[in-house]
């Protein structure tokens, strides 16, 4: 009797398993289960799907035109497709989107988007049974009412607009249309291009790419590429002070961003850095009315090569009338793969005050290198008293000091040489001091440091920072060491710093310029070639070596220019 009951229960269990499997397979294709059950299945897409797309034109000369459609039905992508350059006319992309569980029976979802003048379904193999619907701007949408399509990878789940013939979309799962929107304008404007995402992003893959923990390689080496002043635009950009192939005459055929990115990719491939630091002025604000498109171009080669990167901002990144704020740019960077950028504490002034711990070789969990990032802001808040540029604020210095001191005990447990570096955009006043020991490069232009000295350099020295890197002054590419036992030549208007007015018996940190990398920024002063700075940390030897890579002169592009050992045995190397 017991054996018969066991056999019956086993058969029932097998039958239930088979029925469940068949229902699951059927629902994945035909959505046959009730919504309450279907929504809990792994095939269900949480979030929204796109049900329609259109473009709305409006004109200040036509009071009956509407720039915004019914907000209860349509969501507007907040980018004027003319980038506010259409005189009296503007155009806006609108999308309808619904939560998948709220779709009515028979309601259509967008499963395909094309841009062009001709119906994509005419004369194209495999399209004869599908009906494409025309929308303004040359947009064609393919919509389906099949129940399973809202869950499938065919479903369009997000739509965006990027600008420029050289635009790219490095976001996983996104596809950028090659054909630009066909807008009602005869003016020569930056082309607008649709980017669409089909299906849902892979949360685990996205989380993995964003949580990449940099680690020293097994040989103890860790390479950092510092790229500063890329000055990218929306579109290909216009070159400034570019040198032609014969190395004497100005370049007459030069698209700034293409040449900047070619230099970056060349160095990435030859140096294979473990981390890229974007040290400000990634974007030339006024010439980048769509900041997102410019940032994506810079991030694309890093994402393609799976190289982690961290960014701070310069004075030009957010200065354009249409530029995204620093907070918005940081939020954008945080969504991209391999980005380690952080906004920093809310109670600290600026956006981008944070630090990264570079772990020792696996399987160690100790930090071998700490890198601090600080926001140097933009123009001075007091032009009458302190002309020029802003300075690091007391809240930033306090945050840095307390953070460094808080990490000291933890770093002391590391059995090798723990090293500390810092990166900023605008140089500190100490970069301009008389009597500096200058090595590994040239001092070609005046140092445009803040006129007010908040003594952040002293805090760096107090906490054992061995090197600080900056950008901003494009054609300066030197490293400088402030000798010990020299007077403080930049007295502050506030005596709050404990070393105010006293002599300092200490060496360092080294202060190094990256040199300008972007062809969209200035580079005069006698034939300056764009460049990037490399830093190589040897955690075993406690050594830091730095050099530049230059877009120049045949074989020299592969050479280390101005190579300099700044730290040896964990100690700053003097003159």
């Amino acid at each position: 009797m017991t054996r018969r009951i066991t056999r019956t229960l086993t058969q029932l269990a097998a039958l239930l398993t088979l029925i469940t499997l068949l229902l699951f397979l059927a629902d994945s294709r035909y959505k046959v289960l009730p919504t309450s059950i279907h929504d809990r299945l792994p095939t269900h897409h949480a979030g929204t799907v796109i049900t329609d797309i259109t473009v709305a034109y409006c004109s200040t000369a036509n009071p009956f035109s509407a720039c915004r459609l019914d907000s209860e039905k349509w969501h507007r992508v907040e980018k004027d497709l003319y980038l506010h350059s259409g005189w009296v006319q503007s155009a806006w992309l609108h999308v309808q989107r619904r939560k998948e569980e709220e779709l009515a029976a028979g309601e259509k979802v967008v499963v395909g988007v094309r841009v062009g003048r001709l119906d994509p379904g005419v004369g194209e193999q495999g399209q004869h049974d599908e009906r494409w619907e025309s929308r303004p701007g040359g947009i064609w949408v393919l919509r389906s009412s099949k129940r399973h399509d809202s869950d499938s990878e065919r479903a369009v789940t997000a739509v965006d607009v990027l600008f420029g013939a050289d635009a790219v979309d490095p976001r996983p799962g996104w596809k950028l249309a090659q054909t630009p929107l066909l807008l009602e304008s005869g003016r020569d404007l930056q082309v607008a291009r649709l980017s669409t995402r089909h299906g849902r992003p892979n949360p685990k893959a996205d989380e993995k790419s964003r949580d990449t923990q940099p680690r020293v390689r097994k040989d103890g080496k860790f390479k950092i590429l510092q790229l500063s002043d890329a000055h990218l635009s929306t579109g290909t950009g216009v070159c400034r002070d570019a040198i032609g192939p014969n190395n004497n005459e100005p370049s007459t055929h030069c698209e700034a961003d293409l040449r900047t990115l070619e230099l970056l990719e060349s160095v990435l491939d030859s140096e294979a850095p473990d981390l890229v630091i974007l040290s400000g002025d990634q974007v030339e604000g006024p010439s980048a009315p769509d900041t997102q498109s410019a940032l994506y171009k810079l991030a694309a080669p890093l994402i393609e090569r799976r190289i982690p990167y961290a960014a701070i901002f310069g004075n030009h990144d957010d200065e354009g009338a249409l530029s995204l704020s620093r907070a918005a740019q940081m939020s954008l960077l945080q969504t991209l793969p391999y980005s380690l950028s952080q906004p920093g504490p809310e109670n600290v002034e600026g956006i981008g005050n944070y630090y990264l711990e570079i772990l020792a070789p696996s399987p160690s969990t100790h930090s071998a290198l700490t890198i601090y990032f600080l926001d140097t802001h933009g123009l001075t808040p007091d032009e009458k008293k302190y002309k020029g540029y802003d300075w690091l604020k007391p809240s930033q210095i306090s945050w840095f000091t307390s953070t460094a001191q808080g990490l000291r005990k933890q770093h002391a447990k590391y059995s090798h040489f723990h090293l500390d570096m810092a990166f900023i955009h605008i140089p500190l006043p100490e970069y301009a001091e008389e009597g500096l020991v200058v090595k590994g490069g040239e001092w070609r232009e005046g140092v445009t440091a803040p006129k007010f000295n908040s003594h952040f350099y002293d805090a760096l020295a107090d906490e054992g920072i061995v090197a600080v890197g900056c950008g901003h002054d494009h054609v300066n590419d030197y490293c400088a060491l402030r000798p010990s036992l020299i007077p403080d030549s930049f007295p502050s208007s506030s005596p709050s710093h404990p070393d105010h007015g006293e002599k300092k018996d200490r060496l360092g940190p080294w202060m190094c310029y990256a040199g300008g990398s972007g062809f969209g920024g200035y580079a005069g002063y006698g034939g300056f070639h764009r460049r990037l700075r490399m830093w190589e940390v040897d955690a075993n030897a406690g050594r830091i070596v730095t050099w530049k890579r230059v877009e120049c002169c045949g074989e020299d592009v592969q050479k280390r220019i101005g190579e300099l050992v700044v730290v040896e045995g964990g100690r700053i190397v003097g003159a």
Side-chain angles (χ1 to χ4, degrees), residues 196-209:
T196 54
R197 185 184 67 199
H198 289 255
R200 295 291 165 199
N202 185 337
K204 292 183 179 179
D206 287 352
E207 183 179 350
K208 182 179 180 181
S209 68

Side-chain angles (χ1 to χ4, degrees), residues 166 230-233 235-240 242 253-263 297 517-521 530:
D166 61 339
H231 287 271
L232 297 183
S233 302
T236 56
V238 178
C239 284
R240 296 177 62 186
H253 300 286
C254 177
E255 294 176 308
D257 290 8
L258 296 179
R259 197 157 163 183
T260 301
L261 295 171
E262 283 177 2
L263 171 60
K297 289 191 293 186
S517 65
F519 286 83
R530 269 63 173 195

Side-chain angles (χ1 to χ4, degrees), residues 8 83 158 224 346 371:
T8 301
L83 290 175
I224 301 169
E346 292 184 2
I371 305 175

Side-chain angles (χ1 to χ4, degrees), residues 53 55 93 113-115 133-141 181 194:
I53 303 172
V55 172
L93 184 74
V113 181
R114 301 278 186 90
V115 179
E133 303 172 32
S134 176
R135 299 290 185 268
I139 298 174
W140 294 86
V141 295
L181 293 175
L194 283 185

Side-chain angles (χ1 to χ4, degrees), residues 73-113:
K73 296 180 179 179
W74 294 93
H75 166 77
R76 190 174 85 169
V77 177
E78 293 301 326
K79 293 183 180 183
D80 176 11
L81 301 180
Y82 295 143
L83 290 175
H84 299 280
S85 299
W87 297 106
V88 298
Q89 190 175 28
S90 61
W92 304 84
L93 184 74
H94 289 72
V95 298
Q96 284 187 359
R97 55 190 188 188
R98 297 284 298 276
K99 290 184 178 180
E100 197 225 337
E101 60 268 22
E102 295 175 352
L103 290 171
E107 187 171 1
K108 292 182 177 181
V109 298
V110 177
V111 295
V113 181

